[in-house]
Amino acid sequence: MAGNEVSIQAVWVEGLKFEAVGATSRTSFVMDASEDAGGSSEGVRPTEALLAAMAGCSGMDIILMLRKMKQDVTGLTINVTGVRAEDYPRPIESATVEYILRGHQISETSVARAVKLSETKYCGVMASLKAQITTSYVIEEG
């Protein structure tokens, strides 16, 4: 596999359930549709997986940058909400990303810089989406 390639294999299990396995990580997860859409609700929806990928990518960026900035981060929760179009293929038209950081004396300037750099320079998943993405953050002491 070339250095710039990323690949995943999705194997149909049954109904509308698929097991996805990363070619490099060899880690898997299950995707499924809701019961009212013909699935069994036994996995994440593909669109949820897309939003999770965005949260994970950006979260990794932010943790790495805040470590380099010597920030004492003890926790990070990322809430992502996407708004889908009404008409098929129902793409995500916009998304809101909220970062909730916990730690001791975290600098708001450092957090704002890390979030902005992830959004504009480092997160390949965000850059890959054509959706309008809005970000925010919350810092909690402790």
mmCIF file with all atom_site columns, all heavy atoms in Angstrom, residues 24 31 36 44 78 88 102 138:
data_model
loop_
_atom_site.group_PDB
_atom_site.id
_atom_site.type_symbol
_atom_site.label_atom_id
_atom_site.label_alt_id
_atom_site.label_comp_id
_atom_site.label_asym_id
_atom_site.label_entity_id
_atom_site.label_seq_id
_atom_site.pdbx_PDB_ins_code
_atom_site.Cartn_x
_atom_site.Cartn_y
_atom_site.Cartn_z
_atom_site.occupancy
_atom_site.B_iso_or_equiv
_atom_site.pdbx_formal_charge
_atom_site.auth_seq_id
_atom_site.auth_comp_id
_atom_site.auth_asym_id
_atom_site.auth_atom_id
_atom_site.pdbx_PDB_model_num
ATOM 1  N N   . THR A 1 24  ? -4.703  -0.848 8.115  1.00 0.00 ? 24  THR A N   1
ATOM 2  C CA  . THR A 1 24  ? -3.498  -0.638 8.899  1.00 0.00 ? 24  THR A CA  1
ATOM 3  C C   . THR A 1 24  ? -3.700  -1.028 10.351 1.00 0.00 ? 24  THR A C   1
ATOM 4  O O   . THR A 1 24  ? -2.892  -1.748 10.936 1.00 0.00 ? 24  THR A O   1
ATOM 5  C CB  . THR A 1 24  ? -3.049  0.834  8.815  1.00 0.00 ? 24  THR A CB  1
ATOM 6  O OG1 . THR A 1 24  ? -2.876  1.175  7.440  1.00 0.00 ? 24  THR A OG1 1
ATOM 7  C CG2 . THR A 1 24  ? -1.751  1.055  9.557  1.00 0.00 ? 24  THR A CG2 1
ATOM 8  N N   . MET A 1 31  ? -21.315 -1.412 11.467 1.00 0.00 ? 31  MET A N   1
ATOM 9  C CA  . MET A 1 31  ? -22.281 -0.410 11.015 1.00 0.00 ? 31  MET A CA  1
ATOM 10 C C   . MET A 1 31  ? -23.575 -1.127 10.692 1.00 0.00 ? 31  MET A C   1
ATOM 11 O O   . MET A 1 31  ? -23.557 -2.242 10.170 1.00 0.00 ? 31  MET A O   1
ATOM 12 C CB  . MET A 1 31  ? -21.774 0.309  9.766  1.00 0.00 ? 31  MET A CB  1
ATOM 13 C CG  . MET A 1 31  ? -20.564 1.179  9.992  1.00 0.00 ? 31  MET A CG  1
ATOM 14 S SD  . MET A 1 31  ? -19.998 2.014  8.483  1.00 0.00 ? 31  MET A SD  1
ATOM 15 C CE  . MET A 1 31  ? -19.324 0.625  7.548  1.00 0.00 ? 31  MET A CE  1
ATOM 16 N N   . ASP A 1 36  ? -36.301 0.603  11.644 1.00 0.00 ? 36  ASP A N   1
ATOM 17 C CA  . ASP A 1 36  ? -37.318 1.135  10.734 1.00 0.00 ? 36  ASP A CA  1
ATOM 18 C C   . ASP A 1 36  ? -36.801 1.313  9.310  1.00 0.00 ? 36  ASP A C   1
ATOM 19 O O   . ASP A 1 36  ? -37.574 1.463  8.380  1.00 0.00 ? 36  ASP A O   1
ATOM 20 C CB  . ASP A 1 36  ? -37.921 2.439  11.271 1.00 0.00 ? 36  ASP A CB  1
ATOM 21 C CG  . ASP A 1 36  ? -36.918 3.564  11.409 1.00 0.00 ? 36  ASP A CG  1
ATOM 22 O OD1 . ASP A 1 36  ? -35.726 3.294  11.566 1.00 0.00 ? 36  ASP A OD1 1
ATOM 23 O OD2 . ASP A 1 36  ? -37.358 4.733  11.379 1.00 0.00 ? 36  ASP A OD2 1
ATOM 24 N N   . VAL A 1 44  ? -23.222 1.269  14.605 1.00 0.00 ? 44  VAL A N   1
ATOM 25 C CA  . VAL A 1 44  ? -23.347 2.693  14.332 1.00 0.00 ? 44  VAL A CA  1
ATOM 26 C C   . VAL A 1 44  ? -23.824 2.894  12.904 1.00 0.00 ? 44  VAL A C   1
ATOM 27 O O   . VAL A 1 44  ? -23.570 2.061  12.027 1.00 0.00 ? 44  VAL A O   1
ATOM 28 C CB  . VAL A 1 44  ? -22.015 3.456  14.562 1.00 0.00 ? 44  VAL A CB  1
ATOM 29 C CG1 . VAL A 1 44  ? -21.564 3.364  15.996 1.00 0.00 ? 44  VAL A CG1 1
ATOM 30 C CG2 . VAL A 1 44  ? -20.937 2.981  13.622 1.00 0.00 ? 44  VAL A CG2 1
ATOM 31 N N   . ILE A 1 78  ? -15.829 15.217 23.010 1.00 0.00 ? 78  ILE A N   1
ATOM 32 C CA  . ILE A 1 78  ? -16.179 15.948 21.789 1.00 0.00 ? 78  ILE A CA  1
ATOM 33 C C   . ILE A 1 78  ? -17.592 15.561 21.381 1.00 0.00 ? 78  ILE A C   1
ATOM 34 O O   . ILE A 1 78  ? -17.879 14.378 21.151 1.00 0.00 ? 78  ILE A O   1
ATOM 35 C CB  . ILE A 1 78  ? -15.187 15.629 20.646 1.00 0.00 ? 78  ILE A CB  1
ATOM 36 C CG1 . ILE A 1 78  ? -13.761 15.914 21.106 1.00 0.00 ? 78  ILE A CG1 1
ATOM 37 C CG2 . ILE A 1 78  ? -15.549 16.421 19.394 1.00 0.00 ? 78  ILE A CG2 1
ATOM 38 C CD1 . ILE A 1 78  ? -12.698 15.342 20.203 1.00 0.00 ? 78  ILE A CD1 1
ATOM 39 N N   . TYR A 1 88  ? -32.347 12.919 -0.890 1.00 0.00 ? 88  TYR A N   1
ATOM 40 C CA  . TYR A 1 88  ? -31.287 11.946 -1.096 1.00 0.00 ? 88  TYR A CA  1
ATOM 41 C C   . TYR A 1 88  ? -30.269 12.479 -2.076 1.00 0.00 ? 88  TYR A C   1
ATOM 42 O O   . TYR A 1 88  ? -30.643 13.176 -3.002 1.00 0.00 ? 88  TYR A O   1
ATOM 43 C CB  . TYR A 1 88  ? -31.880 10.614 -1.581 1.00 0.00 ? 88  TYR A CB  1
ATOM 44 C CG  . TYR A 1 88  ? -32.502 9.858  -0.443 1.00 0.00 ? 88  TYR A CG  1
ATOM 45 C CD1 . TYR A 1 88  ? -33.842 10.013 -0.132 1.00 0.00 ? 88  TYR A CD1 1
ATOM 46 C CD2 . TYR A 1 88  ? -31.739 9.027  0.359  1.00 0.00 ? 88  TYR A CD2 1
ATOM 47 C CE1 . TYR A 1 88  ? -34.409 9.343  0.941  1.00 0.00 ? 88  TYR A CE1 1
ATOM 48 C CE2 . TYR A 1 88  ? -32.289 8.352  1.430  1.00 0.00 ? 88  TYR A CE2 1
ATOM 49 C CZ  . TYR A 1 88  ? -33.627 8.517  1.719  1.00 0.00 ? 88  TYR A CZ  1
ATOM 50 O OH  . TYR A 1 88  ? -34.179 7.863  2.788  1.00 0.00 ? 88  TYR A OH  1
ATOM 51 N N   . ARG A 1 102 ? -11.185 19.173 30.170 1.00 0.00 ? 102 ARG A N   1
ATOM 52 C CA  . ARG A 1 102 ? -11.013 19.202 31.614 1.00 0.00 ? 102 ARG A CA  1
ATOM 53 C C   . ARG A 1 102 ? -9.519  19.225 31.904 1.00 0.00 ? 102 ARG A C   1
ATOM 54 O O   . ARG A 1 102 ? -8.732  18.629 31.174 1.00 0.00 ? 102 ARG A O   1
ATOM 55 C CB  . ARG A 1 102 ? -11.656 17.970 32.258 1.00 0.00 ? 102 ARG A CB  1
ATOM 56 C CG  . ARG A 1 102 ? -13.176 18.056 32.306 1.00 0.00 ? 102 ARG A CG  1
ATOM 57 C CD  . ARG A 1 102 ? -13.831 16.742 32.713 1.00 0.00 ? 102 ARG A CD  1
ATOM 58 N NE  . ARG A 1 102 ? -13.511 15.604 31.850 1.00 0.00 ? 102 ARG A NE  1
ATOM 59 C CZ  . ARG A 1 102 ? -13.976 15.433 30.615 1.00 0.00 ? 102 ARG A CZ  1
ATOM 60 N NH1 . ARG A 1 102 ? -14.753 16.325 30.064 1.00 0.00 ? 102 ARG A NH1 1
ATOM 61 N NH2 . ARG A 1 102 ? -13.657 14.355 29.918 1.00 0.00 ? 102 ARG A NH2 1
ATOM 62 N N   . VAL A 1 138 ? -15.418 24.057 25.604 1.00 0.00 ? 138 VAL A N   1
ATOM 63 C CA  . VAL A 1 138 ? -15.743 24.324 26.993 1.00 0.00 ? 138 VAL A CA  1
ATOM 64 C C   . VAL A 1 138 ? -14.558 23.827 27.805 1.00 0.00 ? 138 VAL A C   1
ATOM 65 O O   . VAL A 1 138 ? -14.055 22.730 27.557 1.00 0.00 ? 138 VAL A O   1
ATOM 66 C CB  . VAL A 1 138 ? -17.029 23.577 27.433 1.00 0.00 ? 138 VAL A CB  1
ATOM 67 C CG1 . VAL A 1 138 ? -17.280 23.734 28.916 1.00 0.00 ? 138 VAL A CG1 1
ATOM 68 C CG2 . VAL A 1 138 ? -18.220 24.036 26.607 1.00 0.00 ? 138 VAL A CG2 1
#
